[in-house]
Amino acid sequence: MAYQISDDCIACGVCAGNCPVSAISEGDGKYVIDADSCIDCGACAENCPVGAPAQA
Ligand code: SF4
Ligand code: SF4
């Protein structure tokens, strides 16, 4: 299962820079993960200051 970003996201952009497959992009008020590209590495969850990304 791919990771998803919750509404807790403060749109800091840190996760996008850490994703090895560039699956994260800026959405409407928060960042979003492309489920088809995500390889479940967990880097976004480890680096997020508010713990917004989680496995769906
Ligand atoms: Fe990118 Fe890994 Fe997060 Fe998936 S789990 S969005 S591959 S950093
Ligand atoms: Fe949102 Fe966390 Fe990514 Fe920052 S690191 S854009 S708060 S999900």
Side-chain angles (χ1 to χ4, degrees):
M1 295 294 285
Y3 274 65
Q4 288 185 342
I5 295 174
S6 77
D7 289 343
D8 290 340
C9 174
I10 57 173
C12 71
V14 168
C15 57
N18 283 298
C19 178
V21 294
S22 300
I24 308 175
S25 59
E26 190 169 9
D28 187 14
K30 67 171 194 169
Y31 275 62
V32 292
I33 293 171
D34 175 15
D36 291 333
S37 301
C38 176
I39 57 171
D40 289 345
C41 73
C44 50
E46 288 169 20
N47 290 290
C48 177
V50 298
Q55 218 152 14

Tab-separated table of all heavy atoms in Angstrom:
chain	number	residue	atom	x	y	z
A	1	MET	N	0.839	-1.209	0.000
A	1	MET	CA	0.000	0.000	0.000
A	1	MET	C	0.867	1.250	0.000
A	1	MET	O	1.865	1.314	0.697
A	1	MET	CB	-0.895	0.020	1.241
A	1	MET	CG	-1.928	-1.109	1.262
A	1	MET	SD	-3.132	-0.957	-0.045
A	1	MET	CE	-4.147	0.380	0.599
A	2	ALA	N	0.483	2.228	-0.748
A	2	ALA	CA	1.226	3.490	-0.817
A	2	ALA	C	0.996	4.318	0.447
A	2	ALA	O	0.040	4.087	1.182
A	2	ALA	CB	0.772	4.281	-2.033
A	3	TYR	N	1.893	5.258	0.656
A	3	TYR	CA	1.712	6.196	1.746
A	3	TYR	C	0.741	7.296	1.315
A	3	TYR	O	0.606	7.591	0.128
A	3	TYR	CB	3.056	6.829	2.124
A	3	TYR	CG	3.851	6.001	3.116
A	3	TYR	CD1	4.331	4.743	2.764
A	3	TYR	CD2	4.103	6.476	4.401
A	3	TYR	CE1	5.052	3.977	3.661
A	3	TYR	CE2	4.833	5.711	5.307
A	3	TYR	CZ	5.306	4.459	4.937
A	3	TYR	OH	6.016	3.706	5.834
A	4	GLN	N	0.055	7.877	2.309
A	4	GLN	CA	-0.833	9.004	2.042
A	4	GLN	C	-0.519	10.109	3.045
A	4	GLN	O	-0.094	9.834	4.159
A	4	GLN	CB	-2.301	8.598	2.212
A	4	GLN	CG	-2.799	7.677	1.082
A	4	GLN	CD	-4.280	7.383	1.200
A	4	GLN	OE1	-4.888	7.565	2.260
A	4	GLN	NE2	-4.869	6.916	0.108
A	5	ILE	N	-0.752	11.357	2.655
A	5	ILE	CA	-0.492	12.503	3.525
A	5	ILE	C	-1.808	13.026	4.087
A	5	ILE	O	-2.740	13.319	3.333
A	5	ILE	CB	0.254	13.604	2.740
A	5	ILE	CG1	1.639	13.087	2.335
A	5	ILE	CG2	0.358	14.879	3.565
A	5	ILE	CD1	2.430	14.014	1.426
A	6	SER	N	-1.862	13.132	5.411
A	6	SER	CA	-3.101	13.559	6.071
A	6	SER	C	-3.260	15.082	6.029
A	6	SER	O	-2.357	15.810	5.608
A	6	SER	CB	-3.097	13.105	7.531
A	6	SER	OG	-2.257	13.957	8.293
A	7	ASP	N	-4.398	15.555	6.524
A	7	ASP	CA	-4.658	16.990	6.555
A	7	ASP	C	-3.789	17.721	7.575
A	7	ASP	O	-3.827	18.951	7.661
A	7	ASP	CB	-6.141	17.243	6.876
A	7	ASP	CG	-7.050	16.858	5.712
A	7	ASP	OD1	-6.526	16.707	4.586
A	7	ASP	OD2	-8.267	16.711	5.926
A	8	ASP	N	-2.998	16.980	8.357
A	8	ASP	CA	-2.074	17.618	9.296
A	8	ASP	C	-0.921	18.303	8.563
A	8	ASP	O	-0.183	19.091	9.145
A	8	ASP	CB	-1.485	16.575	10.255
A	8	ASP	CG	-2.529	16.051	11.237
A	8	ASP	OD1	-3.552	16.729	11.431
A	8	ASP	OD2	-2.312	14.965	11.800
A	9	CYS	N	-0.744	17.996	7.298
A	9	CYS	CA	0.354	18.553	6.494
A	9	CYS	C	0.339	20.080	6.529
A	9	CYS	O	-0.698	20.708	6.337
A	9	CYS	CB	0.214	18.068	5.051
A	9	CYS	SG	1.403	18.806	3.901
A	10	ILE	N	1.543	20.657	6.793
A	10	ILE	CA	1.665	22.115	6.814
A	10	ILE	C	2.361	22.620	5.544
A	10	ILE	O	2.811	23.760	5.491
A	10	ILE	CB	2.420	22.584	8.075
A	10	ILE	CG1	3.808	21.920	8.163
A	10	ILE	CG2	1.592	22.300	9.331
A	10	ILE	CD1	4.679	22.482	9.300
A	11	ALA	N	2.458	21.769	4.549
A	11	ALA	CA	2.999	22.143	3.236
A	11	ALA	C	4.405	22.717	3.304
A	11	ALA	O	4.723	23.676	2.609
A	11	ALA	CB	2.041	23.118	2.536
A	12	CYS	N	5.262	22.105	4.123
A	12	CYS	CA	6.641	22.596	4.245
A	12	CYS	C	7.515	22.148	3.082
A	12	CYS	O	8.535	22.762	2.791
A	12	CYS	CB	7.249	22.130	5.565
A	12	CYS	SG	7.612	20.356	5.629
A	13	GLY	N	7.152	21.049	2.435
A	13	GLY	CA	7.895	20.587	1.273
A	13	GLY	C	9.075	19.673	1.554
A	13	GLY	O	9.717	19.201	0.620
A	14	VAL	N	9.377	19.406	2.815
A	14	VAL	CA	10.528	18.568	3.163
A	14	VAL	C	10.418	17.168	2.558
A	14	VAL	O	11.371	16.636	2.007
A	14	VAL	CB	10.687	18.473	4.695
A	14	VAL	CG1	11.681	17.384	5.061
A	14	VAL	CG2	11.138	19.814	5.248
A	15	CYS	N	9.250	16.586	2.626
A	15	CYS	CA	9.069	15.219	2.138
A	15	CYS	C	9.335	15.104	0.641
A	15	CYS	O	9.938	14.128	0.190
A	15	CYS	CB	7.664	14.728	2.451
A	15	CYS	SG	6.366	15.782	1.778
A	16	ALA	N	8.914	16.091	-0.111
A	16	ALA	CA	9.089	16.042	-1.561
A	16	ALA	C	10.567	15.946	-1.914
A	16	ALA	O	10.954	15.220	-2.826
A	16	ALA	CB	8.456	17.266	-2.207
A	17	GLY	N	11.412	16.656	-1.166
A	17	GLY	CA	12.842	16.628	-1.434
A	17	GLY	C	13.502	15.330	-1.021
A	17	GLY	O	14.609	15.020	-1.475
A	18	ASN	N	12.850	14.559	-0.165
A	18	ASN	CA	13.420	13.307	0.332
A	18	ASN	C	12.878	12.064	-0.377
A	18	ASN	O	13.393	10.969	-0.161
A	18	ASN	CB	13.158	13.178	1.834
A	18	ASN	CG	14.106	14.048	2.650
A	18	ASN	OD1	15.311	13.860	2.622
A	18	ASN	ND2	13.562	15.027	3.348
A	19	CYS	N	11.884	12.211	-1.186
A	19	CYS	CA	11.304	11.041	-1.862
A	19	CYS	C	12.215	10.589	-3.006
A	19	CYS	O	12.494	11.367	-3.912
A	19	CYS	CB	9.917	11.379	-2.393
A	19	CYS	SG	9.165	9.989	-3.288
A	20	PRO	N	12.670	9.322	-2.969
A	20	PRO	CA	13.615	8.826	-3.983
A	20	PRO	C	13.008	8.663	-5.367
A	20	PRO	O	13.736	8.549	-6.351
A	20	PRO	CB	14.057	7.473	-3.411
A	20	PRO	CG	12.909	7.031	-2.573
A	20	PRO	CD	12.352	8.304	-1.958
A	21	VAL	N	11.685	8.636	-5.449
A	21	VAL	CA	11.058	8.451	-6.760
A	21	VAL	C	10.204	9.658	-7.168
A	21	VAL	O	9.406	9.583	-8.112
A	21	VAL	CB	10.196	7.163	-6.789
A	21	VAL	CG1	11.086	5.926	-6.648
A	21	VAL	CG2	9.142	7.174	-5.695
A	22	SER	N	10.392	10.773	-6.457
A	22	SER	CA	9.674	12.012	-6.776
A	22	SER	C	8.164	11.808	-6.894
A	22	SER	O	7.521	12.320	-7.813
A	22	SER	CB	10.212	12.624	-8.080
A	22	SER	OG	11.579	12.922	-7.957
A	23	ALA	N	7.618	11.062	-5.927
A	23	ALA	CA	6.184	10.775	-5.956
A	23	ALA	C	5.351	11.854	-5.273
A	23	ALA	O	4.125	11.815	-5.319
A	23	ALA	CB	5.926	9.427	-5.279
A	24	ILE	N	6.025	12.812	-4.618
A	24	ILE	CA	5.298	13.810	-3.829
A	24	ILE	C	5.311	15.167	-4.519
A	24	ILE	O	6.348	15.639	-4.964
A	24	ILE	CB	5.926	13.944	-2.425
A	24	ILE	CG1	6.043	12.570	-1.759
A	24	ILE	CG2	5.087	14.886	-1.566
A	24	ILE	CD1	6.759	12.596	-0.425
A	25	SER	N	4.121	15.776	-4.606
A	25	SER	CA	4.020	17.094	-5.225
A	25	SER	C	3.082	17.974	-4.407
A	25	SER	O	2.320	17.496	-3.574
A	25	SER	CB	3.499	16.973	-6.660
A	25	SER	OG	2.229	16.344	-6.663
A	26	GLU	N	3.168	19.275	-4.651
A	26	GLU	CA	2.341	20.216	-3.901
A	26	GLU	C	0.917	20.183	-4.431
A	26	GLU	O	0.683	20.323	-5.634
A	26	GLU	CB	2.924	21.630	-4.017
A	26	GLU	CG	2.264	22.609	-3.062
A	26	GLU	CD	3.021	23.939	-2.983
A	26	GLU	OE1	3.938	24.149	-3.786
A	26	GLU	OE2	2.680	24.737	-2.101
A	27	GLY	N	-0.024	19.997	-3.521
A	27	GLY	CA	-1.425	19.968	-3.917
A	27	GLY	C	-2.142	21.216	-3.426
A	27	GLY	O	-1.528	22.257	-3.227
A	28	ASP	N	-3.415	21.102	-3.182
A	28	ASP	CA	-4.220	22.228	-2.745
A	28	ASP	C	-4.161	22.368	-1.228
A	28	ASP	O	-4.929	21.747	-0.510
A	28	ASP	CB	-5.663	22.015	-3.214
A	28	ASP	CG	-6.543	23.220	-2.939
A	28	ASP	OD1	-5.995	24.303	-2.639
A	28	ASP	OD2	-7.775	23.091	-3.018
A	29	GLY	N	-3.216	23.164	-0.740
A	29	GLY	CA	-3.085	23.396	0.694
A	29	GLY	C	-2.257	22.365	1.431
A	29	GLY	O	-1.957	22.519	2.608
A	30	LYS	N	-1.902	21.278	0.774
A	30	LYS	CA	-1.043	20.274	1.370
A	30	LYS	C	-0.341	19.506	0.261
A	30	LYS	O	-0.668	19.684	-0.910
A	30	LYS	CB	-1.844	19.312	2.251
A	30	LYS	CG	-2.816	18.417	1.475
A	30	LYS	CD	-3.412	17.327	2.371
A	30	LYS	CE	-4.088	16.245	1.561
A	30	LYS	NZ	-4.453	15.068	2.353
A	31	TYR	N	0.631	18.695	0.638
A	31	TYR	CA	1.326	17.899	-0.358
A	31	TYR	C	0.602	16.564	-0.552
A	31	TYR	O	-0.078	16.080	0.360
A	31	TYR	CB	2.784	17.697	0.071
A	31	TYR	CG	3.667	18.861	-0.353
A	31	TYR	CD1	3.420	20.141	0.140
A	31	TYR	CD2	4.712	18.695	-1.247
A	31	TYR	CE1	4.204	21.215	-0.253
A	31	TYR	CE2	5.508	19.769	-1.637
A	31	TYR	CZ	5.248	21.031	-1.140
A	31	TYR	OH	6.018	22.086	-1.545
A	32	VAL	N	0.776	15.998	-1.734
A	32	VAL	CA	0.087	14.752	-2.063
A	32	VAL	C	1.065	13.735	-2.640
A	32	VAL	O	2.070	14.098	-3.247
A	32	VAL	CB	-1.068	14.992	-3.061
A	32	VAL	CG1	-2.183	15.794	-2.426
A	32	VAL	CG2	-0.562	15.680	-4.323
A	33	ILE	N	0.773	12.456	-2.432
A	33	ILE	CA	1.611	11.366	-2.917
A	33	ILE	C	0.919	10.651	-4.073
A	33	ILE	O	-0.251	10.281	-3.976
A	33	ILE	CB	1.890	10.355	-1.777
A	33	ILE	CG1	2.747	11.020	-0.705
A	33	ILE	CG2	2.579	9.104	-2.327
A	33	ILE	CD1	2.909	10.190	0.562
A	34	ASP	N	1.671	10.451	-5.150
A	34	ASP	CA	1.165	9.678	-6.286
A	34	ASP	C	1.286	8.203	-5.928
A	34	ASP	O	2.380	7.649	-5.861
A	34	ASP	CB	1.980	10.000	-7.533
A	34	ASP	CG	1.581	9.125	-8.712
A	34	ASP	OD1	0.517	8.483	-8.650
A	34	ASP	OD2	2.342	9.071	-9.696
A	35	ALA	N	0.159	7.572	-5.663
A	35	ALA	CA	0.148	6.182	-5.187
A	35	ALA	C	0.787	5.217	-6.183
A	35	ALA	O	1.349	4.188	-5.789
A	35	ALA	CB	-1.283	5.746	-4.893
A	36	ASP	N	0.726	5.531	-7.460
A	36	ASP	CA	1.292	4.639	-8.473
A	36	ASP	C	2.819	4.701	-8.488
A	36	ASP	O	3.474	3.750	-8.910
A	36	ASP	CB	0.757	5.005	-9.859
A	36	ASP	CG	-0.724	4.674	-9.993
A	36	ASP	OD1	-1.185	3.750	-9.296
A	36	ASP	OD2	-1.407	5.333	-10.793
A	37	SER	N	3.384	5.818	-8.018
A	37	SER	CA	4.843	5.980	-8.023
A	37	SER	C	5.483	5.575	-6.702
A	37	SER	O	6.627	5.134	-6.665
A	37	SER	CB	5.213	7.442	-8.315
A	37	SER	OG	4.706	7.850	-9.557
A	38	CYS	N	4.767	5.728	-5.597
A	38	CYS	CA	5.297	5.459	-4.257
A	38	CYS	C	5.762	4.007	-4.117
A	38	CYS	O	5.054	3.078	-4.488
A	38	CYS	CB	4.217	5.749	-3.214
A	38	CYS	SG	4.701	5.364	-1.521
A	39	ILE	N	6.993	3.841	-3.575
A	39	ILE	CA	7.544	2.494	-3.384
A	39	ILE	C	7.563	2.105	-1.894
A	39	ILE	O	8.283	1.185	-1.489
A	39	ILE	CB	8.960	2.387	-3.981
A	39	ILE	CG1	9.894	3.442	-3.368
A	39	ILE	CG2	8.919	2.518	-5.506
A	39	ILE	CD1	11.374	3.264	-3.747
A	40	ASP	N	6.817	2.844	-1.058
A	40	ASP	CA	6.666	2.500	0.363
A	40	ASP	C	7.973	2.504	1.147
A	40	ASP	O	8.152	1.672	2.043
A	40	ASP	CB	6.019	1.120	0.519
A	40	ASP	CG	4.552	1.134	0.122
A	40	ASP	OD1	3.988	2.241	0.005
A	40	ASP	OD2	3.971	0.051	-0.051
A	41	CYS	N	8.885	3.410	0.830
A	41	CYS	CA	10.178	3.413	1.522
A	41	CYS	C	10.091	4.021	2.918
A	41	CYS	O	10.921	3.752	3.771
A	41	CYS	CB	11.213	4.162	0.690
A	41	CYS	SG	10.981	5.949	0.675
A	42	GLY	N	9.101	4.887	3.154
A	42	GLY	CA	8.915	5.484	4.470
A	42	GLY	C	9.711	6.742	4.742
A	42	GLY	O	9.612	7.317	5.827
A	43	ALA	N	10.513	7.192	3.788
A	43	ALA	CA	11.352	8.378	3.998
A	43	ALA	C	10.508	9.616	4.306
A	43	ALA	O	10.877	10.443	5.136
A	43	ALA	CB	12.219	8.635	2.772
A	44	CYS	N	9.367	9.755	3.666
A	44	CYS	CA	8.528	10.933	3.897
A	44	CYS	C	8.034	10.958	5.338
A	44	CYS	O	8.049	12.004	5.998
A	44	CYS	CB	7.354	10.957	2.927
A	44	CYS	SG	6.411	9.418	2.830
A	45	ALA	N	7.620	9.822	5.863
A	45	ALA	CA	7.128	9.753	7.233
A	45	ALA	C	8.241	10.065	8.235
A	45	ALA	O	8.012	10.723	9.247
A	45	ALA	CB	6.535	8.377	7.509
A	46	GLU	N	9.466	9.594	7.939
A	46	GLU	CA	10.597	9.812	8.844
A	46	GLU	C	10.998	11.270	8.912
A	46	GLU	O	11.463	11.756	9.941
A	46	GLU	CB	11.800	8.984	8.377
A	46	GLU	CG	11.636	7.486	8.612
A	46	GLU	CD	12.724	6.678	7.887
A	46	GLU	OE1	13.769	7.265	7.541
A	46	GLU	OE2	12.516	5.478	7.673
A	47	ASN	N	10.834	12.001	7.822
A	47	ASN	CA	11.312	13.378	7.746
A	47	ASN	C	10.247	14.431	8.010
A	47	ASN	O	10.568	15.598	8.193
A	47	ASN	CB	11.944	13.619	6.376
A	47	ASN	CG	13.261	12.877	6.223
A	47	ASN	OD1	14.254	13.212	6.855
A	47	ASN	ND2	13.277	11.846	5.393
A	48	CYS	N	8.991	14.056	8.041
A	48	CYS	CA	7.921	15.041	8.229
A	48	CYS	C	7.878	15.564	9.668
A	48	CYS	O	7.847	14.768	10.604
A	48	CYS	CB	6.588	14.412	7.877
A	48	CYS	SG	5.198	15.530	8.155
A	49	PRO	N	7.860	16.890	9.864
A	49	PRO	CA	7.839	17.463	11.222
A	49	PRO	C	6.524	17.262	11.969
A	49	PRO	O	6.477	17.408	13.190
A	49	PRO	CB	8.111	18.960	10.978
A	49	PRO	CG	7.629	19.198	9.583
A	49	PRO	CD	7.944	17.926	8.827
A	50	VAL	N	5.455	16.939	11.260
A	50	VAL	CA	4.157	16.760	11.914
A	50	VAL	C	3.586	15.345	11.763
A	50	VAL	O	2.436	15.089	12.126
A	50	VAL	CB	3.133	17.811	11.398
A	50	VAL	CG1	3.582	19.221	11.729
A	50	VAL	CG2	2.917	17.671	9.896
A	51	GLY	N	4.382	14.437	11.184
A	51	GLY	CA	3.921	13.052	11.070
A	51	GLY	C	2.720	12.864	10.160
A	51	GLY	O	1.902	11.974	10.397
A	52	ALA	N	2.635	13.672	9.127
A	52	ALA	CA	1.455	13.604	8.248
A	52	ALA	C	1.418	12.390	7.326
A	52	ALA	O	0.340	11.849	7.082
A	52	ALA	CB	1.330	14.895	7.447
A	53	PRO	N	2.560	11.940	6.782
A	53	PRO	CA	2.477	10.777	5.885
A	53	PRO	C	2.324	9.474	6.686
A	53	PRO	O	3.007	9.263	7.694
A	53	PRO	CB	3.833	10.783	5.155
A	53	PRO	CG	4.424	12.129	5.405
A	53	PRO	CD	3.918	12.518	6.764
A	54	ALA	N	1.438	8.628	6.238
A	54	ALA	CA	1.247	7.332	6.882
A	54	ALA	C	0.825	6.323	5.834
A	54	ALA	O	0.287	6.679	4.784
A	54	ALA	CB	0.181	7.427	7.959
A	55	GLN	N	1.093	5.047	6.141
A	55	GLN	CA	0.725	3.997	5.208
A	55	GLN	C	-0.792	3.855	5.173
A	55	GLN	O	-1.426	3.798	6.227
A	55	GLN	CB	1.376	2.678	5.620
A	55	GLN	CG	1.853	1.864	4.448
A	55	GLN	CD	3.026	0.980	4.803
A	55	GLN	OE1	3.329	0.790	5.971
A	55	GLN	NE2	3.681	0.427	3.812
A	56	ALA	N	-1.337	3.820	3.984
A	56	ALA	CA	-2.799	3.779	3.850
A	56	ALA	C	-3.335	2.407	4.215
A	56	ALA	O	-2.621	1.431	4.150
A	56	ALA	CB	-3.204	4.125	2.431
B	1	SF4	FE1	8.179	8.705	-1.616
B	1	SF4	FE2	8.954	6.773	0.025
B	1	SF4	FE3	7.120	8.508	0.838
B	1	SF4	FE4	6.488	6.737	-1.024
B	1	SF4	S1	7.030	6.271	1.135
B	1	SF4	S2	6.014	8.910	-1.102
B	1	SF4	S3	8.416	6.525	-2.150
B	1	SF4	S4	9.276	8.969	0.353
B	2	SF4	FE1	3.481	18.072	4.598
B	2	SF4	FE2	5.057	16.667	6.217
B	2	SF4	FE3	5.553	16.758	3.588
B	2	SF4	FE4	5.962	18.897	5.124
B	2	SF4	S1	7.072	16.958	5.247
B	2	SF4	S2	4.957	18.870	3.073
B	2	SF4	S3	4.259	18.734	6.590
B	2	SF4	S4	3.739	15.848	4.598
